[in-house]
Amino acid sequence: MDTSRPLVVILTARPSGDEVARLCAELAAAPPGEVVCEVGALACADLAAVDALARLKLAAGRRGHRIRFHGAGPDLRALLLLTGLDGTLPI
């Protein structure tokens, strides 16, 4: 990974458990650095989406990555605020 440019991972509209596991494995294989997770394609803001973000955040932290989430819609932002995860999963 080029350390001057962030690693970009993209969540699909409805990320499956297998997709999230694959993205976590990708993070585990990459050297520590900046990661941008594009979440703009998420079709709906639900607890499954929050779970996917949390799993990615944990996987990134275990490897020493600095992850940030980009492109969240107002519904996802509101759900993170409602669940109290807006500070843990900053969008």
Side-chain angles (χ1 to χ4, degrees):
M1 178 169 112
D2 178 0
T3 57
S4 65
R5 293 179 41 192
L7 171 65
V8 177
V9 294
I10 300 170
L11 283 178
T12 59
R14 296 202 182 273
S16 67
D18 288 342
E19 177 187 351
V20 175
R22 179 186 55 78
L23 292 172
C24 288
E26 187 178 325
L27 292 175
E34 189 75 27
V35 176
V36 175
C37 181
E38 177 57 54
V39 298
L42 285 172
C44 70
D46 58 12
L47 293 179
V50 172
D51 178 65
L53 297 180
R55 289 178 56 198
L56 288 168
K57 170 82 173 178
L58 287 171
R62 286 185 188 120
R63 183 65 173 128
H65 296 294
R66 293 170 310 282
I67 191 167
R68 56 190 165 100
F69 300 98
H70 180 264
D75 291 344
L76 181 56
R77 290 175 186 273
L79 183 57
L80 290 173
L81 185 63
L82 179 68
T83 59
L85 293 172
D86 55 315
T88 303
L89 301 170
I91 302 288

